[in-house]
Amino acid sequence: MSPRKGDMDADFSHSLSSGRAGLPHLMDAIEAWLDEAGVPMAAASAVMIAADEVLSNVLDYSGATRVDVAVSARDGRVAVEVADDGAPFDPTAAATPDTSLDVDDRAVGGLGVHLVRKLMDDVGYARADGRNRLRFSRSYDLVSPSRP
């Protein structure tokens, strides 16, 4: 018997060296892969938002010339790793922004990292071999819809 959509173990990887110009194609490829892997829409949407935020920050601010993205779906969990050769930056060490302040009174930056932390179950960072490695993951229920 073949596995139900969503039950399979699956992997996706892509290298981006064309900078921001290649981002739309990469995001489309990730979204199509998540659908094919059977990741429920709520979890896939959260992953897509987090991936877009992380990749945009890497491409806009790190000076990276190569970004490698790996996505896996296993046992009701989708995990993403973004590795880049840009300037060292640990987004997990960033302070949580004070969202109770008026928009005009808030410091610039930090909301994207905060959003990623809120959407994902786990977020981790390591710097190894001159590369940033940000990993984030989210679990999902294969039977019923997961949280938004």
Side-chain angles (χ1 to χ4, degrees):
M1 178 175 174
S2 64
R4 286 184 308 153
K5 189 173 183 182
D7 284 348
M8 65 180 151
D9 290 345
D11 294 298
F12 168 91
S13 64
H14 185 82
S15 294
L16 182 64
S17 58
S18 58
R20 196 165 239 308
L23 185 58
H25 172 72
L26 173 57
M27 294 304 295
D28 288 346
I30 293 170
E31 185 173 32
W33 183 86
L34 290 168
D35 182 55
E36 181 64 28
V39 175
M41 186 185 297
S45 295
V47 167
M48 290 299 298
I49 292 167
D52 186 48
E53 181 61 37
V54 167
L55 290 165
S56 292
N57 283 341
V58 167
L59 294 169
D60 290 345
Y61 303 114
S62 77
T65 59
R66 181 181 169 119
V67 181
D68 297 313
V69 180
V71 186
S72 64
R74 287 185 177 36
D75 302 321
R77 175 168 293 279
V78 60
V80 179
E81 179 177 279
V82 176
D84 69 82
D85 61 357
F89 177 68
D90 180 358
T92 66
T96 301
D98 185 351
T99 56
S100 67
L101 294 174
D102 187 77
V103 171
D104 294 330
D105 296 329
R106 292 183 198 166
V108 174
L111 285 176
V113 171
H114 178 66
L115 180 64
V116 171
R117 288 180 185 149
K118 288 293 187 184
L119 290 172
M120 297 296 108
D121 297 330
D122 296 302
V123 180
Y125 170 83
R127 177 82 180 176
D129 301 321
R131 294 176 61 82
N132 296 300
R133 294 186 181 278
L134 184 68
R135 294 178 183 98
F136 49 95
S137 65
R138 180 179 166 124
S139 60
Y140 57 86
D141 187 340
L142 293 172
V143 177
S144 62
S146 58
R147 64 187 160 99

